[in-house]
Amino acid sequence: MPKVKTNSGAKKRFVLTGTGKIKRKHAYKSHILTKKTTKQKRNLTHSGLVSKADTNNIKKLLALK
């Protein structure tokens, strides 16, 4: 049986935590920052977790399942 390849876009965007959850960064923080408020930019800085509904799909992209 052939090896399952990891999706190269997904491996740049997601990190697996020690407890098995998937960490992600927020969108809308890369450009056009002048019209966004300081509070909005500050809140987008913190990382979040992938929702439970998307976890299985992302694990397939990362070849974890």
Side-chain angles (χ1 to χ4, degrees), residues 1 3 6 11-12 15 17-18 22-23 28 33-34 36 38 41-42 44-45 49-53 55-56 58-59 62:
M1 191 159 177
K3 292 182 181 179
T6 302
K11 72 182 174 188
K12 296 170 193 170
V15 178
T17 63
I22 302 172
K23 211 162 69 163
Y28 307 109
L33 298 172
T34 53
K36 294 175 183 129
T38 308
K41 290 184 278 192
R42 183 174 62 246
L44 290 172
T45 298
L49 294 173
V50 171
S51 68
K52 199 172 181 182
T55 302
N56 285 337
I58 292 169
K59 282 189 175 180
L62 296 173

